Amino acid sequence: METEDQTLVQDCLTENLDPAPIKDEYAPVIFSQETVSHIVSIDMMSGQQDLENILRARATGKGVLTSPFKLLKSNHLGVVLTFAVYNKDLPPDAIPEQRTEATVGYLGASYDVPSLVEKLLHQLASKQTIVVNVYDTTNASAPISMYGTDITDTGLLHVSSLDFGDPLRKHEMHCRFKQKPPLPWMAINASVGVLVITLLVGHIFHAAICRIAKVENDCREMMELKARAEAADVAKSQFLATVSHEIRTPMNGVLGMLKMLMDTDLDAIQRDYAETAHASGKDLISLINEVLDQAKIESGRLELEDVPFDLRNLLDSILSLSSDKSNDKGIESAVYVSDRVPEVVVGDPGRFRQIITNLVGNSIKFTQDKGHIFVSVHLVDEMKGTSDVGDKVLQQGLNLVQDMSSKTYNTLSGFPVVDRWRSWENFKMLNGKDAKDDPEKIRLLVTVEDTGVGIRLDAQDQIFTPFVQADSSTSRHYGGTGIGLSISKHLVELMHGEIGFASEPGVGSTFSFTGAFGKGEVSSLDSKWKQYDPVVSEFQGLGALIIDNRSIRAEVTKYHLRRLGISVDITSSLESACTYVSSIFTTSAFAHLAMILIDKDVWNQETVLQLRSLLEQHRKNCKLNVSTNLPKIFLLGTSMSPVERSKLKTSGFVDNVLMKPLRLSVLIACFQEALGRTKGKVRGKKMSTLGSLLREKRILVVDDNKVNRRVAEGALKKYGAIVTCVERGHDALNKLKPPHTFDACFMDLQMPEMDGFEATRQIRSAESEVNEKLASGEVSIEMYGNVSHWHIPILAMTADVIQATYEKCLKCGMDDYVSKPFEEEQLYLAVARFFESGL
Amino acid sequence: MDVVNQLQRQFIDYSASLHREGFLDDQFTQLQKLQDDNSPDFVVEVASLFFEDCEKLINNMARALEQQQGVDFRQVDASVHQLKGSSSSIGAMRVKDVCVAFRSFCEAQNREGCLRCLQQVTHEYSLLKNKLQTLFRQQILAAGGSIPVVE
C-alpha cells in the first residue's frame, strides 16, 4: 500500500465536514462509543484507508487492520480494525461476492496507539525510562512508525510483536532503555572483591603448603646432614683410635729397642742420643694415649676401676716423676695430704694419677723459673667449716699475707699465688647444694697451685674445651695439644666430682677438683702398695726438728715425717733453732731428737757449725757416752747439682742432703743409712731385687722336657732359690700334698698323661680339703706344719701367652703365668706378688 | 797372655757370628749368664741334654711320618711341640723357626710338608750341633783366662 498522506481531516467537528458526495455505497457510522462519538455519521468509505479496509473486511470476513494513520480528533497515529457483519453464516469457502452480498454492516474499532502504549506502559515507562517504539512492519523494508520518538540506540533492544487480529498486517513493538545501562559497579566490585579474596586465600594456602614442603625438605636434609655429621664424628673417633692404636704398636717396638740399646755399652754421647729418643718416644706414646682417651670418652666407653690404693704413695710417685723437669727449671714442688684423709681409699688410681699428672704437667709447663708447684689433698668436709679450719695449710691458704720486709708471701716458695678458695667457690659439693651426700663415700679435694704465667682472662672460658689452647701461640711456645684438661674434666666427672680453677696472669694458676672415693681397708691393699709397712714402724717415736722460714714448706716436711711416725717441731730460723735446742737439752724431748732438717733457704754455714758445736758441747757437758748419737743434720734442697751435693756431704756439715720433692722411700733409705739401721742392701738393680725375693725359697719345677727343666732350674738357682724338678704332673701332686715345704711351683702346661691344668686342679682340691679339715678342727694344726691355710702359689710356664690361656689358668686355680723361657722383668713381677722383699 | 787374649777374641767373634747368623738368640746369652762358679758347665750340660732330646724327637717324628697306613699327625705335632719348647729354652732360633712351620703343616695334615720340615729340622740341628761343639772347644781353649760372656 502506498503511504498516503494520512492527514485526513484536521478538525473533528462534524460541522466542519462536508456532506458526503453522491456514491453508490455509503458506510456511515451509526453507533459509536462515547469516546469516539465525533465520528458518528461520518462515512467511513470516505477515507481511502477506511474504504480499503471495509472492502477487504467484507471480502475476507476477517478482521482487517489499516496501516497507521492519523486518527480524527486526537491526531494520534492509530489503526482501525474493521469487521464485516453478515446476515447469515457463510461457509468458509464462500467467494467474496457472496460475502459482499451478505454484508449488512461493519464493526470497527480504532486503536489509538500512542495512548494505548502510554496507558499500558505508563508504569514501566516512567520508572525505567524505557523508550517504546511501535512499528507497522507489514512492509518489512519500510516500517511505519506508529508511536515513539527517534531511536537512540542503546543496545538491548527487545522486540515483541503485536497482534491486533489482522493476519495481513504485522505490528511490532520495540522497547529499549532510554539510557545505556550503567556499568553494574556493585557486581563488578563484588566479583572483583571475591576474586581478589579468592586469589589471596589461594595464595595463602599455596604459600603455606610451599612453606610446609620447604620446611619438611629442610628437616629431611638436616636429618641427613645430622646423620652424616654423627657418622663423621664416630668415624673420626674410630679413625683416631685405630690410627693411634696402629701407631702405638710400632712405637712400643721403637721404645723397646731403645731400651735394649740403652742396656748395651754406649758412650756418653750415644747414651744421650738414645735417652733423648726414648724420651721423645715416651712423649709421643703419652700423646697418643691422650688422644685415645679422648676418643674413648667421646664414645662414652671409659670406665673407672675400683681398687684400693694408698693416696700418699701415689702422690709421691707422681711428683717424683715430674721432679726432674721441675728441678731443672728451679721450681720447688711439694705434696701435702691432710691428716684427715684416710690411708687407703677405693677408686681408680690410674685415672686419678692421670688427672694429677696432667695438672702438674701443665703447671710445670707454664711456670718458668721461679716459684713452686704445690699439690694438696684435703677432705671436702674440712672446707665446709671455714671458721675453724684446723689444718695449717688450709689456714695459710685462707689469707695471703705479704711480708713487707722481705717482699715475700706466706706461700711455699714466697711467691704470690692465686687465692685457692676461688678455684672451688662454684663447686656444688662444697656449697652444700650437693643433694646426694653419701656418707659411705670419702670426698676429697685436690688442689694444684703454681706460680706460673697464669691464664689470660679471655681464654679462661675455653680452658676445658678439647684441642683449644689458651692462645694460638701456646702450642708453639709451650707445646701440647690441649686435650689434657678436657680429659681430666671428664675423668673428674666420672668420679662424681667437679673441677675448677682460678688464675691471674702474671701471678699463677690454682686448679682444684673433687672426687668421691670409697672407704678402704689397709689390709685390702695390693702388695705393691704395701712396700713400706714393715719398715715404717722402725722410726716410730723419734723426734725431729725442722728449720724452715716458710711455714707451708715446713708443714709439708712435717707431713712426710709424720707418715713415718716421727714427731716434729718447727722453727723458722737457725738462731731460734739453737735457742730451742738449748732449751730442751734437759728434757726427754732431746733424747728423742734424732734428726734436724734444715732447708736450703735458711742454710748458713757458720750458724750450722754453731749448732753442731752446741750439740757436741751438750754431749760433753752431760758426760754422755760418745757413742750416743747426736741428732743427724740433713739439708733439704730443691735443685742442686750433684757436685754441690757431694761437696756438702763430704764437708761434714751435714749427714746427708735430701732432694725435694720428698719421697717416702728416699727418706727411709736416708734415715736408715744415717741412723745406722740398714737391714740389707739398698734396692739396686732388679737382679738383686729378684734375688732378695727368691733367696732361700723352695721352688718346684714341673716340666716334661729335660732341657726346659734344666734351664728353669738354672735360672731360678741363680737367684738363690732351692729348686726341685719333677717330670710328671703326678709327681707334682705327690710333692705338693700338704704338708710340704715348698714356697712356690712353676708348672708347665703341656705335659702328657696329666697336663698343668689338671695337676693344678687336683692340687687345689687337695689343699681345700685340708683347709676345711683345719678350719673345722678335725685335725690339729701341728700336723700340718702350723700352717692354717694351704695355698701354694702356682705359676704356669707357657710359650703361649694369649688371654684365653691366661683365663683358663686362673680358672683351674693357678695364680699367674710366666713365659717360657723366663724373662727377668716378668718373672720379677709375677714372683713379687707372693714374696715379701728384704727379709 | 796374648794367646789367651787371642783365643778369647776368637771365641767372642765366633759367638757373635752365631748370633748374627741366627743360630742362637738372646736366650742363649741368658744361659751363658747363668753359668757361674756354682755351675761351671751349665751351658754344656744344657746343650748336651738338648742334643739328646733333639735326636730322640727327630727319630720319633721320622718313624711316625714313615707310617704307610695313616700318619698319626697328633703324635708328630706333640713331638714338634716338645722340640719347639726345648729349642726356645736353649735359644736355638733357627731350629725353633722350623718347628713353627712344621706345626702348621701338622695341623694341615700335609705329609709332604711335614717330611720337608723334618729334613730341614735335621739339617738345622746338625748344623747347630757342629757350631756349638766348635764353640765349646774354643771355650775350653780360651779357658786360660776368665770366660768372657758376650753381652
Side-chain angles (χ1 to χ4, degrees):
Chain A
M1 280 200 199
E2 64 252 54
T3 42
E4 287 175 355
D5 184 10
Q6 305 294 321
T7 55
L8 259 172
V9 181
Q10 270 83 4
D11 49 348
C12 47
L13 284 170
T14 324
E15 292 73 28
N16 299 336
L17 292 174
D18 297 328
I22 308 289
K23 282 206 291 205
D24 287 333
E25 262 185 291
Y26 298 96
V29 177
I30 304 174
F31 298 112
S32 75
Q33 222 180 354
E34 270 180 41
T35 48
V36 288
S37 59
H38 59 277
I39 58 169
V40 170
S41 75
I42 293 180
D43 183 11
M44 280 293 112
M45 285 197 176
S46 56
Q48 182 65 27
Q49 290 280 337
D50 289 322
L51 178 64
E52 277 176 27
N53 232 26
I54 288 169
L55 292 176
R56 204 149 42 88
R58 176 165 84 193
T60 58
K62 297 198 173 83
V64 175
L65 277 176
T66 60
S67 56
F69 64 94
K70 281 211 187 330
L71 293 172
L72 290 169
K73 190 176 184 189
S74 62
N75 261 344
H76 288 161
L77 271 178
V79 295
V80 173
L81 179 68
T82 313
F83 280 96
V85 178
Y86 299 112
N87 57 8
K88 62 176 181 210
D89 272 332
L90 289 172
D93 56 346
I95 51 175
E97 287 76 22
Q98 282 179 320
R99 291 186 191 275
T100 312
E101 192 64 59
T103 305
V104 293
Y106 311 98
L107 184 66
S110 64
Y111 292 98
D112 186 346
V113 175
S115 53
L116 188 68
V117 172
E118 263 162 32
K119 288 227 164 41
L120 284 174
L121 301 180
H122 174 70
Q123 298 217 333
L124 281 178
S126 60
K127 273 202 176 166
Q128 301 292 330
T129 51
I130 295 176
V131 174
V132 179
N133 286 72
V134 182
Y135 295 102
D136 180 338
T137 51
T138 314
N139 191 350
S141 56
I144 308 165
S145 169
M146 291 165 56
Y147 172 82
T149 54
D150 281 333
I151 304 157
T152 47
D153 192 357
T154 57
L156 288 179
L157 179 67
H158 191 268
V159 176
S160 353
S161 61
L162 298 171
D163 185 10
F164 289 107
D166 185 358
L168 197 63
R169 302 214 183 253
K170 288 197 187 50
H171 297 87
E172 271 178 10
M173 186 165 76
H174 291 186
C175 299
R176 49 165 66 85
F177 284 105
K178 194 163 188 186
Q179 289 141 353
K180 274 192 157 169
L183 284 176
W185 287 121
M186 277 285 286
I188 289 175
N189 285 346
S191 56
V192 166
V194 166
L195 184 69
V196 165
I197 287 173
T198 313
L199 281 179
L200 281 175
V201 168
H203 178 72
I204 287 173
F205 272 125
H206 179 71
I209 291 174
C210 275
R211 182 147 184 77
I212 290 175
K214 182 165 170 300
V215 166
E216 268 180 9
N217 258 354
D218 279 348
C219 185
R220 212 182 11 251
E221 233 182 87
M222 287 304 158
M223 295 294 249
E224 249 177 70
L225 286 176
K226 174 172 172 258
R228 268 170 53 190
E230 280 174 353
D233 191 29
V234 167
K236 166 209 95 180
S237 291
Q238 278 186 336
F239 163 75
L240 270 177
T242 313
V243 165
S244 305
H245 192 72
E246 295 301 321
I247 293 179
R248 265 214 296 216
T249 316
M251 204 57 222
N252 278 329
V254 167
L255 283 179
M257 285 298 142
L258 281 171
K259 220 170 166 53
M260 285 181 24
L261 180 67
M262 291 199 282
D263 278 340
T264 63
D265 244 335
L266 299 170
D267 66 32
I269 300 179
Q270 287 173 326
R271 184 162 292 278
D272 184 44
Y273 290 163
E275 276 171 6
T276 313
H278 188 76
S280 301
K282 286 226 300 256
D283 281 344
L284 184 58
I285 289 268
S286 73
L287 178 66
I288 292 171
N289 283 339
E290 276 191 345
V291 172
L292 268 179
D293 269 348
Q294 181 72 12
K296 249 198 250 174
I297 284 171
E298 275 181 15
S299 62
R301 278 185 289 137
L302 204 63
E303 274 173 10
L304 292 184
E305 277 190 320
D306 248 337
V307 296
F309 64 97
D310 184 332
L311 204 65
R312 294 168 174 82
N313 282 342
L314 182 71
L315 287 167
D316 272 352
S317 84
I318 296 173
L319 243 78
S320 68
L321 275 177
S322 50
S323 64
D324 287 335
K325 278 186 259 176
S326 59
N327 284 346
D328 283 341
K329 278 185 159 183
I331 305 168
E332 192 162 340
S333 51
V335 66
Y336 175 85
V337 180
S338 152
D339 289 333
R340 290 183 54 187
V341 174
E343 207 179 313
V344 176
V345 293
V346 174
D348 189 332
R351 297 295 176 184
F352 187 63
R353 167 192 276 264
Q354 197 177 348
I355 300 170
I356 299 184
T357 308
N358 173 249
L359 293 176
V360 169
N362 282 347
S363 291
I364 294 179
K365 239 199 288 188
F366 291 100
T367 308
Q368 291 317 330
D369 52 1
K370 59 173 178 69
H372 65 266
I373 295 170
F374 184 32
V375 181
S376 54
V377 182
H378 298 272
L379 283 184
V380 163
D381 291 330
E382 289 179 64
M383 304 298 159
K384 288 199 175 154
T386 47
S387 52
D388 54 351
V389 173
D391 189 87
K392 286 253 169 53
V393 167
L394 265 187
Q395 271 177 349
Q396 302 282 359
L398 265 176
N399 30 26
L400 194 65
V401 172
Q402 186 178 22
D403 185 353
M404 282 305 151
S405 59
S406 58
K407 292 256 192 309
T408 57
Y409 294 81
N410 63 337
T411 60
L412 190 73
S413 61
F415 288 97
V417 290
V418 183
D419 180 12
R420 54 172 60 201
W421 289 82
R422 270 174 44 204
S423 64
W424 64 66
E425 63 187 354
N426 289 328
F427 283 7
K428 289 199 215 78
M429 232 190 238
L430 286 155
N431 294 341
K433 291 193 205 142
D434 192 4
K436 327 182 228 119
D437 237 1
D438 192 353
E440 283 307 305
K441 292 277 181 196
I442 303 169
R443 285 190 304 286
L444 298 177
L445 173 71
V446 181
T447 309
V448 177
E449 169 190 275
D450 72 53
T451 56
V453 293
I455 307 168
R456 275 188 10 236
L457 291 163
D458 52 356
Q460 290 193 2
D461 289 325
Q462 296 213 320
I463 277 272
F464 292 110
T465 319
F467 301 112
V468 170
Q469 302 222 301
D471 198 331
S472 53
S473 64
T474 308
S475 177
R476 239 185 309 124
H477 281 146
Y478 300 104
T481 52
I483 318 181
L485 277 174
S486 151
I487 295 178
S488 299
K489 179 157 189 262
H490 275 115
L491 290 174
V492 165
E493 277 164 13
L494 279 174
M495 290 184 190
H496 308 293
E498 298 158 277
I499 186 167
F501 70 98
S503 175
E504 240 176 88
V507 175
S509 318
T510 300
F511 278 79
S512 297
F513 70 93
T514 55
F517 297 87
K519 297 197 176 137
E521 295 301 313
V522 179
S523 51
S524 62
L525 272 183
D526 215 347
S527 59
K528 70 175 176 185
W529 296 109
K530 273 208 277 185
Q531 280 167 336
Y532 308 118
D533 279 348
V535 199
V536 164
S537 45
E538 72 185 76
F539 297 118
Q540 199 84 32
L542 294 178
L545 175 67
I546 298 179
I547 309 175
D548 194 334
N549 60 341
R550 301 214 177 291
S551 54
I552 293 193
R553 202 163 48 186
E555 285 292 324
V556 170
T557 319
K558 177 173 173 181
Y559 148 74
H560 278 106
L561 291 174
R562 291 257 302 278
R563 282 165 77 185
L564 292 173
I566 304 173
S567 61
V568 178
D569 282 308
I570 305 179
T571 59
S572 57
S573 70
L574 277 171
E575 290 78 25
S576 52
C578 291
T579 331
Y580 170 79
V581 165
S582 327
S583 70
I584 61 163
F585 270 157
T586 47
T587 65
S588 61
F590 185 70
H592 288 294
L593 189 67
M595 53 189 83
I596 300 176
L597 295 98
I598 309 176
D599 192 277
K600 189 147 178 275
D601 274 352
V602 296
W603 176 264
N604 180 312
Q605 210 154 297
E606 281 89 46
T607 327
V608 170
L609 271 176
Q610 242 182 352
L611 188 62
R612 268 218 122 90
S613 54
L614 195 67
L615 292 166
E616 302 230 333
Q617 195 73 31
H618 175 76
R619 186 161 68 178
K620 265 201 230 126
N621 292 348
C622 292
K623 297 193 186 42
L624 287 171
N625 205 329
V626 183
S627 61
T628 313
N629 285 326
L630 284 178
K632 303 284 176 226
I633 299 188
F634 295 100
L635 176 67
L636 302 169
T638 305
S639 41
M640 244 193 269
S641 64
V643 174
E644 223 183 315
R645 281 211 331 250
S646 49
K647 217 171 55 163
L648 278 167
K649 269 166 81 170
T650 50
S651 65
F653 292 130
V654 292
D655 293 284
N656 210 336
V657 178
L658 297 169
M659 299 306 295
K660 295 218 201 135
L662 296 174
R663 273 203 86 173
L664 210 62
S665 53
V666 171
L667 284 178
I668 292 172
C670 283
F671 293 165
Q672 276 180 342
E673 207 189 321
L675 299 172
R677 293 175 198 226
T678 44
K679 275 200 183 166
K681 287 220 273 278
V682 177
R683 252 183 263 281
K685 285 162 52 188
K686 285 228 186 63
M687 273 275 262
S688 52
T689 314
L690 246 183
S692 60
L693 281 176
L694 288 173
R695 198 169 303 280
E696 311 276 310
K697 295 282 191 297
R698 305 181 71 87
I699 304 201
L700 181 69
V701 171
V702 187
D703 195 318
D704 60 325
N705 184 291
K706 248 186 297 193
V707 178
N708 295 343
R709 277 204 305 275
R710 195 71 190 82
V711 170
E713 186 186 13
L716 289 170
K717 271 199 177 144
K718 176 167 187 124
Y719 299 117
I722 304 170
V723 183
T724 315
C725 294
V726 293
E727 208 178 324
R728 294 159 60 236
H730 284 112
D731 299 332
L733 265 181
N734 288 333
K735 289 260 183 221
L736 290 180
K737 213 157 82 169
H740 61 76
T741 50
F742 284 106
D743 297 297
C745 169
F746 283 87
M747 174 98 69
D748 182 32
L749 286 179
Q750 240 104 330
M751 291 187 285
E753 288 176 27
M754 186 191 287
D755 67 13
F757 301 113
E758 183 57 34
T760 310
R761 255 179 254 129
Q762 296 208 7
I763 292 169
R764 291 290 179 232
S765 73
E767 280 178 342
S768 61
E769 241 184 84
V770 171
N771 287 338
E772 269 170 36
K773 285 202 199 130
L774 283 170
S776 66
E778 230 179 286
V779 288
S780 69
I781 199 170
E782 287 86 31
M783 273 182 61
Y784 285 95
N786 281 332
V787 175
S788 61
H789 183 87
W790 286 89
H791 179 98
I792 182 170
I794 300 184
L795 289 93
M797 294 193 294
T798 172
D800 180 22
V801 284
I802 57 174
Q803 185 69 12
T805 319
Y806 181 56
E807 280 165 7
K808 198 168 171 200
C809 290
L810 290 179
K811 236 198 293 194
C812 57
M814 293 193 176
D815 294 284
D816 206 345
Y817 70 81
V818 293
S819 64
K820 183 161 71 161
F822 289 153
E823 200 261 292
E824 199 179 308
E825 181 137 353
Q826 195 192 44
L827 189 60
Y828 169 67
L829 282 174
V831 166
R833 281 179 61 191
F834 309 110
F835 297 136
E836 293 282 324
S837 58
L839 290 175
Chain B
M1 292 192 276
D2 244 343
V3 178
V4 175
N5 279 341
Q6 207 180 36
L7 288 172
Q8 278 180 353
R9 224 183 3 261
Q10 235 178 20
F11 173 77
I12 294 173
D13 289 340
Y14 192 68
S15 190
S17 79
L18 285 183
H19 276 87
R20 238 192 344 267
E21 286 165 32
F23 282 103
L24 301 170
D25 66 13
D26 197 39
Q27 178 60 17
F28 191 75
T29 322
Q30 298 289 333
L31 286 185
Q32 284 177 319
K33 281 196 202 167
L34 290 179
Q35 182 161 298
D36 58 13
D37 293 324
N38 289 335
S39 42
D41 297 319
F42 182 65
V43 183
V44 179
E45 204 185 320
V46 173
S48 325
L49 281 174
F50 173 67
F51 294 142
E52 260 181 62
D53 199 41
C54 220
E55 281 185 30
K56 185 180 81 183
L57 288 171
I58 289 180
N59 286 335
N60 279 350
M61 287 191 270
R63 240 179 306 135
L65 284 170
E66 265 168 36
Q67 295 290 338
Q68 286 306 328
Q69 54 276 70
V71 177
D72 186 355
F73 282 105
R74 275 215 323 266
Q75 203 186 17
V76 181
D77 187 62
S79 303
V80 177
H81 177 74
Q82 287 272 327
L83 187 58
K84 179 163 161 251
S86 38
S87 53
S88 54
S89 281
I90 197 179
M93 200 163 78
R94 277 161 78 142
V95 177
K96 187 186 75 177
D97 290 338
V98 178
C99 288
V100 171
F102 203 150
R103 282 202 87 180
S104 52
F105 280 121
C106 282
E107 258 173 76
Q109 309 218 342
N110 182 341
R111 189 160 168 272
E112 289 304 315
C114 285
L115 282 173
R116 264 206 312 275
C117 277
L118 182 62
Q119 226 178 18
Q120 238 182 322
V121 160
T122 319
H123 175 68
E124 288 294 334
Y125 155 72
S126 29
L127 265 181
L128 183 66
K129 187 165 175 192
N130 282 334
K131 301 256 180 206
L132 280 179
Q133 280 170 344
T134 317
L135 186 70
F136 293 143
R137 237 177 290 130
Q138 289 198 345
Q139 195 178 312
I140 295 167
L141 286 177
S146 64
I147 298 168
V149 179
V150 181
E151 292 291 334

